[in-house]
Amino acid sequence: MSALCSSPKLVILGAPGAGKGTQAALLAEKLNTPHLSTGDILREEVRKGTELGKRAQEYMDRGDLVPDDIIIGAMNERLKEAGGSTSNGFILDGFPRTLEQAKALSSAVQLDLVFLVKLSQDEVVRRLSARRVCERCGRNYNLLFNPPQEEGRCDLCGAALASRVDDSPEVIRRRYQLHRKQSKGVEDFYREQGILQEIEGDQPIAEIHQAILDTLND
Ligand code: AP5
């Protein structure tokens, strides 16, 4: 594995449901690097009932983006905790989503690579409508692609599985449209820096993972 892979600073971009979280988790395990998901961070704050969670929840439930000032402040703190300003690596999933967020990130750290996982709206709706998440441990399942062994129960901890509040078809479409509106500026920002790598998301999970590893090894 190349030097880049020992402590890379990576971002995974993509539409809702493109597979950012799935790929970031696999990569984090493979590279033994922290995985920072803004969606997971915000959902945890909502669960704990913190001030940040209370401010974020209404945006999340509607499928809107949480305002930049809230999310940038929260991410700066997490990056410091993960050693983002030192030589340690990390994998960001779901951040940045606006040009303002991308600029704030670039003033804090120098990224190595940004992966963009591409997927059509129809496939996004199909996948997210079939997503189920463990209410206790947060493990992700998909009724079409990786169902649990026992219907409605987590393989790992046995707790109940549920759909995410923002995974209704109407909210999924809203999230997708918002993504299309916001993402171009972010993608162009990284394309101009020569660090954007595009990957087709309509492939099996293992193949996308391998494509990311191959790129890191090049
Ligand atoms: P977040 O949780 O980040 O939601 P999202 O971006 O909409 O992404 P998802 O988690 O839905 O999808 P994913 O791409 O991670 O796909 P996954 O791997 O889970 O954010 C939620 C909300 O928080 C936002 O709407 C916003 O309100 C707020 N927020 C977050 N970040 C923010 C920011 N930076 N700024 C402002 N607001 C922010 O996969 C999806 C499903 O498909 C799973 O069931 C999985 O098993 C399956 N799957 C994955 N890959 C494949 C494959 N290759 N083949 C078949 N199935 C697959």
Side-chain angles (χ1 to χ4, degrees), residues 191-203:
R191 199 171 278 120
E192 280 159 21
Q193 294 173 34
I195 57 171
L196 188 75
Q197 297 285 332
E198 301 188 31
I199 297 186
E200 285 306 326
D202 199 4
Q203 310 180 62

Side-chain angles (χ1 to χ4, degrees), residues 15-22 38-39 42-43 60 64-66 71 94-95 97 101 127-128 131 140-142 145-146 164 166 175 201 203-205 208:
K20 302 181 295 295
T22 301
T38 33
L42 291 171
R43 278 184 290 277
M60 297 172 75
D64 284 339
L65 290 186
V66 173
I71 202 87
F95 183 90
R97 266 179 225 225
Q101 292 177 16
R127 271 192 199 173
L128 291 186
R131 171 163 59 186
N140 239 297
Y141 295 85
N142 194 287
F145 301 102
N146 58 333
R164 262 171 49 177
D166 58 350
R175 286 159 60 201
Q203 310 180 62
I205 290 171
I208 299 174

Side-chain angles (χ1 to χ4, degrees), residues 2 6-7 46 50 73-74 79-80 82 95 111 122 124 136 176 183 192 195 197 202:
S2 74
S6 57
S7 58
V46 170
T50 64
L79 278 170
K80 270 189 213 139
F95 183 90
L111 295 173
D122 285 351
V124 161
R136 188 184 299 150
Y176 190 86
S183 60
E192 280 159 21
I195 57 171
Q197 297 285 332
D202 199 4

